[in-house]
Amino acid sequence: MAPPSHDLRRAYKRPAISDQQRRRELALLRQSQHRADSHHRARQLASSLLPSSEGPLRTEQEIEPEVEPGTEPEVEPEARVLDAPRAAKLGGAEARRWFARQIMLPEWMIDAPPDLDRNWYVFPRPAGKRCFVVSSNGTTVSRLRNGSVLHHFPSSLPNGARTKDKSGPSSSYSILDCIFHEPDQTYYVIDMVCWRGYSLYDCSAEFRFFWLNSKLTETGACNPPSTYHKYRFSIVPIYECTEQGLHAAYSGVVPYVKDGLLFYNKQAHYQTGNTPLALVWKDGACSQYLLDTDSKGQVPSQQQVVLELQEDGKLTTSDDPPHVFGCFDRDFIQKSGLRPGNLLRFAIRDESVRLVDGKMEISDLQFVGRSNRARAFADSHSKVLFQYAARHSPLRIEDLFACIRSSPTDEDGSNDIEMAG
Amino acid sequence: MAMEITQILLAAQSPDAQIRTAAEESLKQFQEQNLPHFLLALSVELSNEQKPPASRRLAGIILKNSLDAKDSIRKEELTQRWVSVDPAIKFQIKESLLRTLGSPVAEARHTSSQVTAKVASIEIPRREWQELIAKLLTYMTQQDTTSSLKQATLEALGYVCEEVSPQDLQQDQVNAVLTAVVQGMNQKEHSSEVRLAAVKALYNALDFAQTNFENELERAFIIKVVCETAVSKESEIRQAAFECLVSIASTYYEILEPFMPSLFNLTSNAVRGDEEPVALQAIEFWSTVCDEEIAIQEEYGGADEGSSSLHHRFIEKALPSLVPMLLETLLKQEEDQDQDDSMWNLSMAGGTCLGLVARTVGDAVVPLVMPFVQENIMKADWHNREAATFAFGSILEGPSVEKLAPLVHSGLDFLLNAMKDQNSHVKDTTAWTLGRIFELLHAPTSAYPVITNENLPRIMAVLLESIRDVPNVAEKVCGAIYFLAQGYEDEPSSSVLTPYLGDTISALLSTADRTDTTNSRLRASAYETLNEMVRCSNLPETSNMIAQLLHEIMKRLNQTLELQIISSEDREKQSDLQALLCGVLQVIIQKLSNSDSKALILQSADQMMLLFLRVFACRSSSVHEEAMLAIGALAYATGSDFAKYMPEFYRYLEMGLQNFEEYQVCSISVGVVGDICRALDEKVLPFCDGIMSALLKDLSNSMLHRSVKPPIFSCFGDIALAISENFEKYVPYAIPMLQGAAELCSHLDASDEDMLDYGNQLRRGIFEAYSGILQGFKNTKAELLMPYAGNLLKFTEAVFRDKNRDEGVTRAAVAVMGDLADALGPTTKALFKESHFYSDFLEESFQSDDDQLRETATWAQGMIRRVFLS
């Protein structure tokens, strides 16, 4: 028959220090945070650039086509299946590879497409670092083509800073394809991949550019930098590729240093990796970087190419499927200590090059050495070919105008529609 | 044997150890050979009036211990053994017990009533011995019943009520018990022994009286009788009656209204004039009413609408008379009460009650207390000064900051001066009050900051001087410094303390070294305050000082290893000191490893680890625990370099994992396994066989405290994530455990809040395990998990439908769906197609306010969508 105990009241004049319990709780808290972090790392790595979407799955069919969420980027299977924990341990090498594969890479324009004036846009490409900008959860991260982080900053993009903008779940992503232009510290947006969780991967370039133009300015991302907006974003003038459009893109004044022209097929979806539906073209007038430089920044007397060494000794381009330019024998590989996956620089003599059915063949590759570490990929076939052409019989701007003029045009198709405001 | 049992029982109490041991041995043999006859013989001995009281008493005690044990597993064993005894023998034993209630020997009666209740506690819930209550009641109503039989019967009834739970008695039985007990309290009819037994029985029966208290007449009658009993002439009976009132206030708060005026008078008279044990219960009555009202206010969060019908505001209404009554008690201190931990007197109870009153009514208490403070604080008699300070300190929690801040501002200087009072009670209470001020009102960002740049130097000077005062004052000063530091926890303001850190650390270290007290609390307070100083210090400003402290503490820990240990008391002292020092090291490691000063930890990692290993070698569980916690923090700091310590450390880790008796040690060791997995990754592999087998054994151990089991499941996930496909060989053991636990989740008692909580922890642990395993196997052996995917989804669905799941469980469950899709890919398409719940689950998650949950759901949705598109 226990009498009511005073034990509860015994806290009399005793400071409520129970540090041991506190230590235990703090330790548990720390452990549970670290557990959550490691699970998060394992998961997020594989999905950090998956287009995310709002709302439950089953409404997928009900959503209007232009904002259809959720189809995912076309990526190679091996890029999808990441050994997440291991990649995390490798200091993000796998992660970089993953990011690197997310960007749409234009082929180099060897010949002008015949429907250039009807089905293509053209715009002057800003000189700078091509990157993916992801805003989510109150922060913005830009990653270079090789996957490494360029900036980590607050921005006015959706969920791009820790502000009280509650226009959607803070976890939803926006992803922009940009070029960071050093002289004015501005991100020039050249494509929109994901907006407030809606994926634009499977939308036509026409729709993506429309969406980019109408949405980006709404956010204030184009405003000058401020506390919660560290870098200015800007759009580039996009033209229909008519005679006037091409002229405007080629010789029009833009606030940035030009580095060639980009041509985008209007119907093409955002396709990761190399695509012939986006094309880059340069000449000496609109780009300082027409001819590739070597590791010292000089234009070498002989053209150089960067190729990837394969398991079987083959030396290939970055295309899918890869184009084989040559082969190393096993002895040489062993002696030189090279490993499959290494990116190697070669010089080519003009006389060793032959063009067969639009493909280039090189009979004599001269090994120069390993390529710059920052490179993530070998050259593409179209780039090698473009560089070759640039040294011998370049595709000139006159050729492009001629192509447009020679094609039958609709009356209304000749009007310029400048989409950039 | 029956003939000899008396001799054996007497021999078992012999002062000669040899005789005693031999007797105990024969008792044990008898018990093992034939338990039913052994129990019967004991009951016969107990009931036999010819036998000496000493042998009867021991017979009763052994009988009681054969029916009940503190340890729940042992108790269950004993219950089963009793149940299986031949019913005829059990009948004889019970008859003996009831017969003994009428024994003229008081000790025999008392023992018998206890044993009767133990038998009842086994049999009544099993719907056996249903005639017991009726039989006991007959004793109460029979004309010729002796007073001693009545007393023993009431005692037995009380014990029975204490042992069995209310749902095991039928209402008519309850009614009859209450009637008998209340009649037993009748002053005119019964002796004081009978009445005391009756009041005590009522105390235990109150829980059964739910239905009776719903009836206005019945409750009025019960309370009237209790109030009459509370003014009996025997103080023991009055005390027991007030204990009943305390219990009524707690159990039946909602019906108290009409009785409050008379209860106020009754308690007030007792507080002012009765003997101390009675007066203490009278104060306890008001403390209990405060507890009830605070609980109501907390539950309804101050929303008057919902609580108005339940909340009678008794304290608020009684305030003008209640507060003066309590203030009077504060002046009844005793000399040296601060030195005696077991002391509990009127002034202590009154001050505690005043603190509860302040928490109940808030601002309204302040104008009633402040005049008392002002009037007494300057008086010559220390009793007045101490009471005034205690009153002020007691009302610091409850009233608003706006109300208190001006008072604290004007009083702070006075309090700081009072730290030099010539009386140490006054200084003790003053230091405690300063601690309360810092704990409750000190916030640098508040509109009414208590501590400013102007007064901080003086405050620190006073505290650092007073920490050298007598031990009980010094302990309170440690508390004040602890809370003062805590106020600066946030990064920007923590610089404020930087100029004082060096002196404060030295003062605390010397305080920990003091030899003028045998009480270990001062040392513990000093080290724990040191911990808080470290936690709240500003980095990198103070990193050099903390590095110095790190070396000093390591030096001290090293010294403990050289202490001469002769007695077990020495061992315990060494172990307590090591626990405190390991605690400080843990805090320092954790503080520095999250900063740019991490290198300071890495430089000393080898030395620290060596010390921890030597501490382990001293073998003591409580140190084990603190050293283990510190090692977990160290593993996090060192990362994969921790691998070099593993060969030495592993055996202690294994010991920790196997220590199921001290579940805190086990639990912390499980957590450290997680730290080590994250630090070592695949380098943990060589130790996984041992770790996994210890963990699996723990899971199957029914003696291990259940709270350790959910973390063990999470730990499976940690291991799998670290060693990836190498976890394969554990799958056949781990998955059935997970499935078993998942099954168990559906059978937990949903009406028990503790069980709900446990169920959630268990679910979360299960999901975390699956997540780790799925992610760990993702690229290599994912197909191995395919056979379990359906089961896992079904479990997830069951959790989805469970209304009691908390957010942590929801997050873990949503994540596991994504992990399933992520790891197993297209093969799960059919499974997800059949499981419609997942889209509802995701939809629900998207509606949540929890950012983390929405993010996880977005991710999981992406993964599942990918499966469908493949």
Side-chain angles (χ1 to χ4, degrees):
Chain A
M1 210 178 289
S5 136
H6 319 295
D7 288 351
L8 282 176
R9 314 257 182 250
R10 276 288 162 78
Y12 166 75
K13 275 208 322 195
R14 198 131 302 151
I17 309 180
S18 172
D19 207 64
Q20 191 191 24
Q21 189 51 29
R22 184 132 187 253
R23 281 198 297 282
R24 247 184 232 137
E25 281 161 11
L26 289 172
L28 283 177
L29 192 67
R30 175 181 61 74
Q31 285 166 346
S32 115
Q33 275 165 354
H34 292 159
R35 174 177 295 125
D37 287 351
S38 54
H39 280 214
H40 191 70
R41 235 190 355 258
R43 289 174 188 136
Q44 218 52 33
L45 202 64
S47 68
S48 48
L49 268 184
L50 279 187
S52 52
S53 61
E54 295 165 52
L57 242 189
R58 58 162 187 213
T59 58
E60 198 176 354
Q61 288 82 18
E62 299 154 19
I63 292 175
E64 287 167 276
E66 68 263 33
V67 288
E68 181 179 337
T71 37
E72 62 162 290
E74 300 291 325
V75 282
E76 303 91 309
E78 71 268 25
R80 269 189 196 166
V81 185
L82 263 185
D83 180 348
R86 197 166 300 153
K89 289 164 208 161
L90 290 173
E94 287 278 350
R96 285 209 297 279
R97 191 167 280 252
W98 169 268
F99 271 89
R101 286 174 207 262
Q102 300 305 309
I103 291 194
M104 177 158 83
L105 301 169
E107 284 194 1
W108 290 68
M109 190 187 278
I110 313 296
D111 293 309
D115 57 350
L116 198 57
D117 65 324
R118 276 165 290 138
N119 285 330
W120 294 75
Y121 293 120
V122 63
F123 58 91
R125 183 191 186 282
K129 292 171 176 149
R130 178 84 183 280
C131 55
F132 247 21
V133 176
V134 182
S135 70
S136 156
N137 278 326
T139 186
T140 308
V141 179
S142 56
R143 282 181 185 267
L144 297 176
R145 200 191 141 187
N146 70 5
S148 61
V149 172
L150 175 62
H151 296 134
H152 199 138
F153 60 104
S155 77
S156 298
L157 294 175
N159 297 320
R162 292 192 188 282
T163 52
K164 280 185 183 150
D165 164 37
K166 273 289 164 199
S167 46
S170 63
S171 56
S172 76
Y173 290 102
S174 298
I175 304 174
L176 301 175
D177 185 346
C178 300
I179 292 169
F180 183 68
H181 184 250
E182 290 279 356
D184 63 354
Q185 295 283 300
T186 298
Y187 281 95
Y188 287 92
V189 185
I190 59 168
D191 210 332
M192 182 178 265
V193 183
C194 230
W195 190 251
R196 292 192 194 275
Y198 290 124
S199 166
L200 297 162
Y201 277 89
D202 282 357
C203 301
S204 65
E206 192 169 17
F207 177 77
R208 295 201 310 277
F209 289 156
F210 162 70
W211 208 242
L212 167 60
N213 273 290
S214 48
K215 293 294 170 190
L216 189 68
T217 40
E218 282 175 9
T219 60
C222 301
N223 297 340
S226 58
T227 317
Y228 292 107
H229 181 56
K230 192 164 173 200
Y231 295 101
R232 196 163 67 96
F233 284 77
S234 182
I235 38 194
V236 295
I238 297 169
Y239 305 95
E240 301 256 348
C241 195
T242 58
E243 217 177 318
Q244 292 90 332
L246 183 61
H247 182 75
Y250 184 69
S251 33
V253 176
V254 282
Y256 51 84
V257 179
K258 275 187 217 174
D259 180 20
L261 299 178
L262 281 168
F263 297 82
Y264 273 53
N265 184 292
K266 291 181 190 172
Q267 272 73 50
H269 292 182
Y270 193 96
Q271 187 185 333
T272 58
N274 292 317
T275 171
L277 296 175
L279 298 168
V280 58
W281 174 88
K282 297 176 182 181
D283 70 3
C286 70
S287 171
Q288 304 165 10
Y289 313 103
L290 175 60
L291 292 181
D292 265 7
T293 52
D294 62 13
S295 48
K296 297 183 197 86
Q298 306 292 318
V299 174
S301 57
Q302 286 182 334
Q303 182 181 353
Q304 295 195 349
V305 296
V306 173
L307 301 172
E308 182 175 350
L309 177 64
Q310 299 296 324
E311 203 86 47
D312 53 6
K314 285 186 175 136
L315 300 161
T316 64
T317 63
S318 65
D319 302 271
D320 187 24
H323 186 81
V324 181
F325 274 134
C327 193
F328 272 158
D329 63 34
R330 239 159 251 285
D331 281 354
F332 178 78
I333 297 172
Q334 273 185 347
K335 265 181 242 155
S336 60
L338 297 174
R339 292 217 199 98
N342 283 165
L343 299 179
L344 310 173
R345 187 172 279 276
F346 296 92
I348 45 181
R349 286 178 295 117
D350 294 347
E351 55 273 30
S352 68
V353 173
R354 280 202 309 152
L355 288 171
V356 180
D357 295 336
K359 297 279 177 194
M360 196 166 165
E361 286 181 4
I362 306 168
S363 56
D364 183 18
L365 284 169
Q366 296 174 322
F367 182 42
V368 176
R370 294 211 196 183
S371 99
N372 185 338
R373 238 177 238 202
R375 295 269 310 226
F377 295 102
D379 287 339
S380 65
H381 175 260
S382 68
K383 177 173 177 188
V384 177
L385 202 51
F386 186 90
Q387 287 287 320
Y388 181 78
R391 286 171 177 260
H392 299 94
S393 53
L395 183 65
R396 295 163 307 149
I397 190 73
E398 294 79 20
D399 300 331
L400 298 181
F401 278 114
C403 168
I404 292 169
R405 260 180 249 125
S406 66
S407 93
T409 47
D410 295 332
E411 290 285 297
D412 54 356
S414 61
N415 293 329
D416 274 353
I417 299 172
E418 188 178 314
M419 300 189 71
Chain B
M1 188 75 195
M3 295 290 286
E4 300 161 19
I5 194 159
T6 311
Q7 301 315 314
I8 301 175
L9 286 167
L10 290 174
Q13 300 170 71
S14 160
D16 182 333
Q18 223 173 340
I19 301 179
R20 212 166 54 228
T21 318
E24 280 163 2
E25 193 49 40
S26 359
L27 284 172
K28 211 170 133 200
Q29 274 179 18
F30 189 4
Q31 182 170 24
E32 279 162 12
Q33 279 163 7
N34 194 334
L35 180 76
H37 282 95
F38 178 65
L39 297 177
L40 182 60
L42 290 174
S43 73
V44 169
E45 183 78 13
L46 174 63
S47 65
N48 191 336
E49 300 297 341
Q50 314 304 315
K51 299 288 182 180
S55 72
R56 294 176 73 182
R57 185 187 60 206
L58 186 59
I61 290 171
I62 297 175
L63 200 50
K64 194 176 86 181
N65 292 341
S66 311
L67 294 164
D68 193 14
K70 280 203 176 108
D71 179 75
S72 63
I73 291 164
R74 169 92 182 131
K75 183 176 175 149
E76 181 55 30
E77 247 174 61
L78 294 174
T79 301
Q80 288 314 317
R81 263 171 33 184
W82 173 259
V83 168
S84 59
V85 170
D86 176 1
I89 292 180
K90 282 193 284 196
F91 179 79
Q92 287 184 56
I93 294 174
K94 289 186 278 189
E95 286 300 297
S96 300
L97 289 173
L98 292 177
R99 204 162 49 240
T100 313
L101 292 178
S103 165
V105 180
E107 227 173 331
R109 293 199 302 271
H110 177 70
T111 313
S112 170
S113 67
Q114 285 179 314
V115 181
T116 304
K118 296 293 175 197
V119 175
S121 78
I122 295 176
E123 298 205 334
I124 288 183
R126 302 170 52 87
R127 295 272 162 264
E128 293 164 2
W129 211 11
Q130 292 299 299
E131 66 281 14
L132 169 67
I133 301 289
K135 273 210 168 127
L136 289 175
L137 292 172
T138 339
Y139 294 151
M140 292 305 296
T141 46
Q142 272 167 3
Q143 288 292 313
D144 56 345
T145 306
T146 60
S147 177
S148 54
L149 175 56
K150 280 188 179 158
Q151 183 227 353
T153 305
L154 285 165
E155 213 172 64
L157 282 170
Y159 287 138
V160 170
C161 288
E162 196 182 4
E163 292 285 339
V164 307
S165 59
Q167 67 266 22
D168 290 329
L169 285 192
Q170 282 134 25
Q171 187 57 40
D172 57 342
Q173 289 178 315
V174 172
N175 292 344
V177 170
L178 282 173
T179 309
V181 167
V182 171
Q183 277 171 5
M185 290 162 72
N186 189 314
Q187 207 166 348
K188 287 173 207 118
E189 287 173 30
H190 298 293
S191 70
S192 62
E193 290 79 16
V194 171
R195 283 186 292 122
L196 181 60
V199 192
K200 289 187 169 173
L202 177 65
Y203 178 79
N204 284 318
L206 281 170
D207 271 350
F208 292 75
Q210 214 83 43
T211 312
N212 311 81
F213 267 82
E214 280 162 21
N215 179 311
E216 207 176 319
L217 284 175
E218 286 186 48
R219 69 179 176 239
F221 181 67
I222 294 172
I223 292 176
K224 178 173 153 276
V225 175
V226 176
C227 288
E228 283 165 8
T229 313
V231 292
S232 305
K233 58 181 187 302
E234 302 86 349
S235 73
E236 218 183 333
I237 296 180
R238 292 199 302 276
Q239 182 188 346
F242 272 106
E243 283 168 8
C244 287
L245 288 176
V246 170
S247 172
I248 290 170
S250 147
T251 316
Y252 302 109
Y253 168 86
E254 64 283 356
I255 55 88
L256 284 181
E257 175 112 76
F259 311 104
M260 280 317 264
S262 45
L263 287 172
F264 182 83
N265 287 332
L266 197 61
T267 51
S268 159
N269 290 337
V271 170
R272 290 194 163 107
D274 211 326
E275 291 168 40
E276 188 165 70
V278 185
L280 286 175
Q281 286 307 319
I283 294 178
E284 186 66 23
F285 172 83
W286 288 101
S287 291
T288 303
V289 174
C290 288
D291 285 343
E292 290 304 312
E293 299 198 339
I294 291 169
I296 292 171
Q297 282 162 202
E298 275 170 6
E299 190 161 339
Y300 294 93
D304 285 16
E305 298 296 323
S307 61
S308 56
S309 63
L310 295 167
H311 192 344
H312 294 291
R313 306 191 183 282
F314 294 135
I315 298 296
E316 201 179 296
K317 289 171 197 161
L319 208 56
S321 337
L322 183 60
V323 170
M325 174 182 95
L326 295 172
L327 290 172
E328 277 171 45
T329 65
L330 299 187
L331 290 159
K332 300 185 178 166
Q333 309 97 322
E334 289 167 274
E335 296 288 343
D336 295 332
Q337 67 178 25
D338 287 329
Q339 262 89 51
D340 183 355
D341 281 348
S342 59
M343 177 92 73
W344 184 248
N345 62 31
L346 214 54
S347 75
M348 296 163 111
T352 304
C353 186
L354 184 60
L356 290 167
V357 168
R359 286 178 54 201
T360 311
V361 303
D363 286 359
V365 81
V366 176
L368 293 169
V369 171
M370 285 317 289
F372 176 86
V373 175
Q374 281 142 6
E375 186 188 331
N376 288 283
I377 195 97
M378 310 281 276
K379 284 199 175 152
D381 185 343
W382 73 264
H383 290 90
N384 296 78
R385 297 198 304 279
E386 197 277 342
T389 316
F390 194 24
F392 186 61
S394 298
I395 59 166
L396 290 171
E397 189 180 3
S400 62
V401 181
E402 292 80 358
K403 191 87 181 171
L404 292 173
L407 299 173
V408 168
H409 274 288
S410 54
L412 190 62
D413 209 47
F414 190 94
L415 289 170
L416 292 171
N417 282 330
M419 286 310 294
K420 296 197 181 73
D421 198 288
Q422 69 268 42
N423 180 281
S424 94
H425 288 280
V426 176
K427 287 188 285 189
D428 185 289
T429 303
T430 305
W432 169 77
T433 302
L434 286 170
R436 295 256 298 172
I437 290 174
F438 301 152
E439 179 187 0
L440 299 163
L441 296 163
H442 156 48
T445 52
S446 136
Y448 310 93
V450 173
I451 302 176
T452 60
N453 289 337
E454 287 69 47
N455 64 16
L456 182 61
R458 173 152 152 75
I459 292 172
M460 288 309 297
V462 169
L463 292 176
L464 293 185
E465 193 187 329
S466 297
I467 202 172
R468 297 200 297 263
D469 210 315
V470 293
N472 57 300
V473 174
E475 191 200 331
K476 308 290 189 301
V477 172
C478 287
I481 298 175
Y482 184 97
F483 290 112
L484 183 136
Q486 197 164 74
Y488 295 110
E489 206 168 8
D490 293 326
E491 279 302 321
S493 58
S494 62
S495 283
V496 174
L497 282 184
T498 304
Y500 306 98
L501 186 65
D503 288 346
T504 311
I505 289 178
S506 324
L508 289 168
L509 287 172
S510 345
T511 305
D513 285 339
R514 278 171 71 153
T515 49
D516 56 347
T517 172
T518 50
N519 193 328
S520 63
R521 246 187 9 239
L522 177 58
R523 190 163 67 188
S525 297
Y527 279 123
E528 297 188 335
T529 301
L530 199 55
N531 290 341
E532 194 63 12
M533 288 300 293
V534 171
R535 279 196 203 100
C536 302
S537 63
N538 185 283
L539 290 178
E541 277 176 15
T542 62
S543 50
N544 285 335
M545 258 183 282
I546 293 181
Q548 269 178 27
L549 177 63
L550 173 67
H551 289 111
E552 172 63 26
I553 299 292
M554 278 163 51
K555 194 182 92 197
R556 288 175 177 225
L557 187 55
N558 193 44
Q559 283 163 359
T560 66
L561 299 166
E562 279 140 28
L563 287 174
Q564 203 183 2
I565 305 297
I566 299 161
S567 64
S568 64
E569 199 187 328
D570 292 343
R571 169 79 59 208
E572 200 179 318
K573 271 190 180 157
Q574 178 197 37
S575 150
D576 287 348
L577 181 54
Q578 289 173 340
L580 292 168
L581 294 167
C582 288
V584 181
L585 290 178
Q586 188 217 337
V587 171
I588 295 177
I589 295 169
Q590 201 153 330
K591 176 81 181 179
L592 294 184
S593 54
N594 280 324
S595 75
D596 297 337
S597 316
K598 188 172 168 180
L600 295 170
I601 294 299
L602 301 182
Q603 283 158 17
S604 303
D606 287 355
Q607 266 174 290
M608 270 192 274
M609 198 59 202
L610 191 67
L611 282 171
F612 294 144
L613 291 171
R614 292 182 61 197
V615 167
F616 279 132
C618 299
R619 251 177 230 272
S620 158
S621 63
S622 90
V623 160
H624 207 141
E625 179 179 342
E626 288 286 350
M628 202 50 107
L629 273 171
I631 286 175
L634 191 63
Y636 168 65
T638 57
S640 63
D641 285 347
F642 193 82
K644 64 178 167 182
Y645 309 127
M646 280 305 283
E648 273 301 304
F649 169 56
Y650 175 72
R651 64 195 163 119
Y652 297 112
L653 179 64
E654 194 172 53
M655 266 168 57
L657 293 174
Q658 289 165 346
N659 192 347
F660 59 85
E661 293 100 340
E662 286 158 303
Y663 74 92
Q664 292 278 21
V665 174
C666 188
S667 168
I668 282 164
S669 307
V670 171
V672 169
V673 171
D675 281 329
I676 290 173
C677 287
R678 285 181 288 275
L680 297 189
D681 282 328
E682 66 283 350
K683 285 191 202 158
V684 77
L685 185 60
F687 306 97
C688 285
D689 281 355
I691 291 173
M692 278 303 291
S693 80
L695 293 178
L696 289 165
K697 267 186 214 140
D698 280 338
L699 283 177
S700 333
N701 189 336
S702 59
M703 312 274 271
L704 178 64
H705 194 275
R706 65 171 194 226
S707 69
V708 187
K709 297 188 176 177
I712 291 180
F713 289 126
S714 307
C715 190
F716 283 174
D718 297 340
I719 295 172
L721 206 53
I723 64 172
S724 310
E725 71 271 17
N726 293 304
F727 194 79
E728 177 178 358
K729 61 175 163 178
Y730 309 125
V731 165
Y733 306 97
I735 301 263
M737 289 286 189
L738 289 168
Q739 291 178 338
E743 175 68 18
L744 176 71
C745 285
S746 57
H747 300 307
L748 291 178
D749 179 3
S751 63
D752 180 342
E753 216 155 285
D754 283 349
M755 277 324 236
L756 278 187
D757 203 34
Y758 178 61
N760 276 326
Q761 289 167 16
L762 205 53
R763 290 178 177 98
R764 190 171 160 177
I766 295 168
F767 285 129
E768 285 179 346
Y770 277 114
S771 283
I773 298 172
L774 284 162
Q775 288 295 343
F777 278 24
K778 186 155 80 178
N779 298 307
T780 45
K781 300 260 170 94
E783 69 284 354
L784 278 175
L785 299 172
M786 200 53 214
Y788 312 109
N791 195 300
L792 174 55
L793 262 185
K794 283 210 180 68
F795 174 57
T796 314
E797 176 163 13
V799 169
F800 168 61
R801 310 229 178 271
D802 177 22
K803 286 191 261 347
N804 298 311
R805 82 185 127 87
D806 63 23
E807 284 216 326
V809 173
T810 305
R811 269 204 298 273
V814 169
V816 98
M817 296 195 298
D819 291 328
L820 206 53
D822 184 21
L824 298 180
T827 40
T828 55
K829 197 182 210 166
L831 274 178
F832 277 108
K833 259 189 190 141
E834 288 164 20
S835 313
H836 299 290
F837 80 95
Y838 79 86
S839 54
D840 297 336
F841 205 171
L842 290 175
E843 191 168 4
E844 182 203 291
S845 307
F846 287 123
Q847 308 301 321
S848 161
D849 293 333
D850 176 355
D851 284 350
Q852 227 183 322
L853 174 56
R854 287 201 310 270
E855 187 184 343
T856 306
T858 307
W859 175 82
Q861 186 187 41
M863 289 297 136
I864 298 171
R865 174 169 290 146
R866 193 168 75 176
V867 164
F868 277 103
L869 289 175
S870 58

